[in-house]
Every structure is written in C-alpha cells, then in structure tokens.
Amino acid sequence: MGKITAAITGVGAYLPEYRLTNAILETMVDTNDEWITTRTGIKERRILKEPGKGTSYMAIKAAQDLIEKKGIDPKTIDLVLLASATPDMPVASTGAYVATQIGATNAFSYDLMAACSSFLFGMSTASSYIESGRYKRVLLIGADKMSSIIDYEDRATCIIFGDAAGAVLFEPNEEGYGVKDEILRTDGIGREFLKIEAGGSILPASHETVENKQHYVFQDGKSVFKYAVSSMADVAEQVVQRNGLSNDDIDWLVPHQANKRIIDATARRVELPQEKVMMNIHKYGNTTSATLPLCLYEYESQLKKGDHLVFAAFGGGFTWGSVLLTWAYDS
C-alpha cells in the first residue's frame, strides 16, 4: 500500500444569473469601464438578487452540481467543509445546513473562515482528514454572497466583488496524485486594512453602526495590493522551488481572482506564460472563497491526469498561502 494522498476527483459550481456590468456600475457610482478594467481587469460580476437566498443557496447548488456529475450517493460523504466569509447567519453553522440539504446525512460539517484564503486553507484541512485514513470523501465548498456586505455607494469596493460558489470532492489516492505540499501564512498586521468593523464582539450591531455603514467591507486598497502582490508571489515561488520543480514542470497556476495585476505579478514570479494561468476575473470579479474552485470548474476540460497545479491566494487578516497539487483524472 502506497502513501495516501488527497486527490480532487470532482468539481461543481453555481453562478447567479444576474450580471452586474461595468456599464451598470457607471450609473450607480462615479466610475467608468476603462478605470475599472485598467485597475482590476473586471468587466462584470454575478449577483444573487433573489430575496431570502444567501450563501447556503449557492453552496447547495454547487454541491448538487458536483454530486450529479460524479453520480455519487451523498450519504457516502464523510465531511462537508464550507469555506466562506459570508455565512447565512452568526452562530448557526451554514455548513451543517448545507450538508443536510444535499442529503449528506452521514457527514459532519463546519464552516471555515479565513477571508479570501478560506478555500485554500480548506484544501489543507480536507487533505489532512483524508491522509489520516479516517475519512474517504471530503466535500469542500467555497461560497460567498459578497453583495450582502458591500456598500454599492463605495466605488472602492463595489467594483470588485461578486457572488458565486464552487465545490470539489477529495478522495484518497495511492498513485501519487493529489495534494503534494503547502505553504500557509498569516499576519495580524492586516487587520486594519481589510475588515468589517461592526457586527462582531468588539463592536456589536447598533443603530449607530448601521447608520455609519460599519457593517460593510472596508478596504485600504493600496496597502492590500502591496501585501498581496509580494505575499502571493513569494509563497508560489517557494512551493515550486521547495519541490525541485522548474516553471516548465508547472502546468497551471490557479490564483485567487482578486485583481488581474496581482495575478500577473504572481505569474511573472514563477515565470509562467499567460496560457498557463487560470483567469476568469473579467467575468466574475472577486468571489472570495469561490474563486479557486470556479477556476477549476471552468478549466476542468483542459486538465490532464498528472498535471502540476500551483494554487495561490491572499485574504484579509492577512491570510495567504500556496498549495501544490497533481491532478488525478482526465476530464
């Protein structure tokens, strides 16, 4: 028996129908298509508009897409991890609700929150459970309804974020495919640069916090950009070098879709041409926890068994990291 590794064996996704284009944003805030495109690379983003539907709705849809494509019995899933910065509600686990709704009644579930690095950190968590030998099927979902925490009068943030969900299934592998290595990092210095100020234990909700718009995302764009560029590029380069690989050995860079300039900088550091970089930020914006699985979903048909993938992400906190994974199947 070979060493057990955690391989991705299936991918699913859900995208809301409504497209919030740059042209529409021009009617809402003082901005324009050229300004947005030049600075972010974003042309449009999807928004979940239906009242009463939250992150769980998209997570359930993405999970069901995967389950249907794979043809698996949800009762055979051992664990459901929900990576999200926008849970349905405080206290009650969104992941637990999602697991029940998809029929994964034999699974335990919980939420994992690390801002835009949530899914990446979830990959580490899922692979650890698989490698322990205790669990055979771990469903990792990245889902965020960012429109629920964005002030659409704040042009610094409303141009960036969108709503979506993506899901991947991890299963044991003894042929050397799956998660090979990871470098994960955090630094609390980022707490003041990207945050929602109110609604937590320090500053509970009140009339004043609502009136002051302190329940929306605040971002110091220049500081976040500076840290993100250097941090994502550093760990991506390190994980490649640590495993004795060259840029020729890397088939795909799977970067968090926060800003095209950050993606381009990371690709340059690991010396990868554009055709090896997964990118869909122009269509969906920054969907936070959903960006990485959405990339896999869109590029799945191009992935081949044995491909080396380098994942990289950066999020509030600050949180960041890189994962090296060998793809386990031909689509």
Side-chain angles (χ1 to χ4, degrees), residues 58-76:
M58 296 186 293
I60 290 165
K61 290 287 189 181
Q64 289 172 335
D65 180 50
L66 185 153
I67 289 166
E68 185 176 332
K69 282 168 60 180
K70 283 282 293 179
I72 64 169
D73 181 352
K75 290 185 174 61
T76 63

mmCIF file of all heavy atoms in Angstrom, residues 58-76:
data_model
loop_
_atom_site.group_PDB
_atom_site.id
_atom_site.type_symbol
_atom_site.label_atom_id
_atom_site.label_comp_id
_atom_site.label_asym_id
_atom_site.label_seq_id
_atom_site.Cartn_x
_atom_site.Cartn_y
_atom_site.Cartn_z
ATOM 1 N N MET A 58 -26.296 29.025 -2.767
ATOM 2 C CA MET A 58 -25.295 28.804 -3.809
ATOM 3 C C MET A 58 -24.433 27.585 -3.496
ATOM 4 O O MET A 58 -24.079 26.813 -4.398
ATOM 5 C CB MET A 58 -24.430 30.055 -3.962
ATOM 6 C CG MET A 58 -25.197 31.274 -4.435
ATOM 7 S SD MET A 58 -24.127 32.698 -4.771
ATOM 8 C CE MET A 58 -23.550 33.064 -3.106
ATOM 9 N N ALA A 59 -24.090 27.399 -2.218
ATOM 10 C CA ALA A 59 -23.284 26.251 -1.814
ATOM 11 C C ALA A 59 -24.005 24.946 -2.118
ATOM 12 O O ALA A 59 -23.401 23.973 -2.604
ATOM 13 C CB ALA A 59 -22.956 26.344 -0.331
ATOM 14 N N ILE A 60 -25.294 24.903 -1.823
ATOM 15 C CA ILE A 60 -26.106 23.710 -2.098
ATOM 16 C C ILE A 60 -26.129 23.425 -3.598
ATOM 17 O O ILE A 60 -25.952 22.283 -4.032
ATOM 18 C CB ILE A 60 -27.535 23.893 -1.550
ATOM 19 C CG1 ILE A 60 -27.516 23.880 -0.023
ATOM 20 C CG2 ILE A 60 -28.479 22.816 -2.086
ATOM 21 C CD1 ILE A 60 -28.786 24.414 0.613
ATOM 22 N N LYS A 61 -26.333 24.462 -4.400
ATOM 23 C CA LYS A 61 -26.386 24.302 -5.853
ATOM 24 C C LYS A 61 -25.054 23.772 -6.402
ATOM 25 O O LYS A 61 -25.028 22.894 -7.279
ATOM 26 C CB LYS A 61 -26.727 25.631 -6.520
ATOM 27 C CG LYS A 61 -28.152 26.107 -6.304
ATOM 28 C CD LYS A 61 -29.138 25.282 -7.100
ATOM 29 C CE LYS A 61 -30.532 25.860 -7.076
ATOM 30 N NZ LYS A 61 -31.496 25.022 -7.838
ATOM 31 N N ALA A 62 -23.940 24.310 -5.915
ATOM 32 C CA ALA A 62 -22.621 23.865 -6.374
ATOM 33 C C ALA A 62 -22.373 22.415 -5.982
ATOM 34 O O ALA A 62 -21.849 21.615 -6.777
ATOM 35 C CB ALA A 62 -21.531 24.764 -5.804
ATOM 36 N N ALA A 63 -22.741 22.064 -4.747
ATOM 37 C CA ALA A 63 -22.566 20.691 -4.273
ATOM 38 C C ALA A 63 -23.426 19.728 -5.084
ATOM 39 O O ALA A 63 -22.977 18.640 -5.469
ATOM 40 C CB ALA A 63 -22.914 20.611 -2.793
ATOM 41 N N GLN A 64 -24.661 20.108 -5.350
ATOM 42 C CA GLN A 64 -25.554 19.258 -6.133
ATOM 43 C C GLN A 64 -25.042 19.069 -7.553
ATOM 44 O O GLN A 64 -25.171 17.980 -8.138
ATOM 45 C CB GLN A 64 -26.965 19.855 -6.145
ATOM 46 C CG GLN A 64 -27.673 19.751 -4.802
ATOM 47 C CD GLN A 64 -28.992 20.499 -4.763
ATOM 48 O OE1 GLN A 64 -29.212 21.457 -5.513
ATOM 49 N NE2 GLN A 64 -29.880 20.085 -3.868
ATOM 50 N N ASP A 65 -24.445 20.117 -8.121
ATOM 51 C CA ASP A 65 -23.849 20.017 -9.452
ATOM 52 C C ASP A 65 -22.755 18.966 -9.464
ATOM 53 O O ASP A 65 -22.682 18.116 -10.362
ATOM 54 C CB ASP A 65 -23.298 21.384 -9.866
ATOM 55 C CG ASP A 65 -22.651 21.364 -11.246
ATOM 56 O OD1 ASP A 65 -23.291 20.862 -12.186
ATOM 57 O OD2 ASP A 65 -21.516 21.844 -11.375
ATOM 58 N N LEU A 66 -21.890 18.991 -8.454
ATOM 59 C CA LEU A 66 -20.798 18.019 -8.348
ATOM 60 C C LEU A 66 -21.348 16.607 -8.151
ATOM 61 O O LEU A 66 -20.914 15.654 -8.816
ATOM 62 C CB LEU A 66 -19.869 18.396 -7.194
ATOM 63 C CG LEU A 66 -18.606 17.561 -6.996
ATOM 64 C CD1 LEU A 66 -17.522 18.393 -6.314
ATOM 65 C CD2 LEU A 66 -18.857 16.299 -6.169
ATOM 66 N N ILE A 67 -22.291 16.464 -7.229
ATOM 67 C CA ILE A 67 -22.858 15.147 -6.920
ATOM 68 C C ILE A 67 -23.511 14.519 -8.150
ATOM 69 O O ILE A 67 -23.355 13.330 -8.429
ATOM 70 C CB ILE A 67 -23.877 15.268 -5.760
ATOM 71 C CG1 ILE A 67 -23.123 15.562 -4.445
ATOM 72 C CG2 ILE A 67 -24.731 14.011 -5.622
ATOM 73 C CD1 ILE A 67 -24.026 16.021 -3.314
ATOM 74 N N GLU A 68 -24.217 15.347 -8.910
ATOM 75 C CA GLU A 68 -24.878 14.857 -10.124
ATOM 76 C C GLU A 68 -23.858 14.457 -11.182
ATOM 77 O O GLU A 68 -23.994 13.407 -11.825
ATOM 78 C CB GLU A 68 -25.806 15.939 -10.669
ATOM 79 C CG GLU A 68 -26.641 15.487 -11.854
ATOM 80 C CD GLU A 68 -27.620 16.547 -12.326
ATOM 81 O OE1 GLU A 68 -28.051 17.373 -11.483
ATOM 82 O OE2 GLU A 68 -27.944 16.557 -13.520
ATOM 83 N N LYS A 69 -22.821 15.282 -11.373
ATOM 84 C CA LYS A 69 -21.788 14.979 -12.372
ATOM 85 C C LYS A 69 -21.027 13.704 -12.013
ATOM 86 O O LYS A 69 -20.721 12.888 -12.886
ATOM 87 C CB LYS A 69 -20.802 16.145 -12.478
ATOM 88 C CG LYS A 69 -21.313 17.330 -13.285
ATOM 89 C CD LYS A 69 -20.425 18.549 -13.113
ATOM 90 C CE LYS A 69 -19.009 18.325 -13.561
ATOM 91 N NZ LYS A 69 -18.172 19.547 -13.382
ATOM 92 N N LYS A 70 -20.740 13.538 -10.717
ATOM 93 C CA LYS A 70 -19.982 12.363 -10.260
ATOM 94 C C LYS A 70 -20.854 11.113 -10.126
ATOM 95 O O LYS A 70 -20.360 9.992 -10.145
ATOM 96 C CB LYS A 70 -19.333 12.664 -8.901
ATOM 97 C CG LYS A 70 -18.105 13.526 -8.970
ATOM 98 C CD LYS A 70 -16.877 12.719 -9.430
ATOM 99 C CE LYS A 70 -16.479 11.686 -8.377
ATOM 100 N NZ LYS A 70 -15.302 10.894 -8.833
ATOM 101 N N GLY A 71 -22.156 11.322 -9.972
ATOM 102 C CA GLY A 71 -23.054 10.193 -9.781
ATOM 103 C C GLY A 71 -22.845 9.476 -8.467
ATOM 104 O O GLY A 71 -22.947 8.246 -8.380
ATOM 105 N N ILE A 72 -22.545 10.251 -7.414
ATOM 106 C CA ILE A 72 -22.289 9.629 -6.104
ATOM 107 C C ILE A 72 -23.504 9.771 -5.188
ATOM 108 O O ILE A 72 -24.343 10.646 -5.369
ATOM 109 C CB ILE A 72 -21.053 10.242 -5.416
ATOM 110 C CG1 ILE A 72 -21.284 11.728 -5.085
ATOM 111 C CG2 ILE A 72 -19.810 10.061 -6.272
ATOM 112 C CD1 ILE A 72 -20.223 12.327 -4.190
ATOM 113 N N ASP A 73 -23.575 8.902 -4.212
ATOM 114 C CA ASP A 73 -24.604 8.963 -3.176
ATOM 115 C C ASP A 73 -24.115 9.931 -2.103
ATOM 116 O O ASP A 73 -23.058 9.689 -1.500
ATOM 117 C CB ASP A 73 -24.821 7.573 -2.585
ATOM 118 C CG ASP A 73 -25.912 7.537 -1.505
ATOM 119 O OD1 ASP A 73 -26.404 8.623 -1.110
ATOM 120 O OD2 ASP A 73 -26.243 6.433 -1.055
ATOM 121 N N PRO A 74 -24.831 11.036 -1.848
ATOM 122 C CA PRO A 74 -24.371 11.998 -0.841
ATOM 123 C C PRO A 74 -24.212 11.384 0.550
ATOM 124 O O PRO A 74 -23.469 11.927 1.374
ATOM 125 C CB PRO A 74 -25.451 13.082 -0.858
ATOM 126 C CG PRO A 74 -26.621 12.491 -1.550
ATOM 127 C CD PRO A 74 -26.087 11.468 -2.497
ATOM 128 N N LYS A 75 -24.860 10.260 0.792
ATOM 129 C CA LYS A 75 -24.723 9.601 2.096
ATOM 130 C C LYS A 75 -23.332 9.000 2.286
ATOM 131 O O LYS A 75 -22.960 8.638 3.403
ATOM 132 C CB LYS A 75 -25.795 8.515 2.256
ATOM 133 C CG LYS A 75 -27.209 9.054 2.406
ATOM 134 C CD LYS A 75 -28.202 7.926 2.673
ATOM 135 C CE LYS A 75 -29.596 8.474 2.964
ATOM 136 N NZ LYS A 75 -30.156 9.250 1.828
ATOM 137 N N THR A 76 -22.556 8.904 1.198
ATOM 138 C CA THR A 76 -21.190 8.369 1.306
ATOM 139 C C THR A 76 -20.166 9.461 1.598
ATOM 140 O O THR A 76 -18.977 9.167 1.735
ATOM 141 C CB THR A 76 -20.785 7.638 0.011
ATOM 142 O OG1 THR A 76 -20.764 8.580 -1.082
ATOM 143 C CG2 THR A 76 -21.771 6.517 -0.312
#
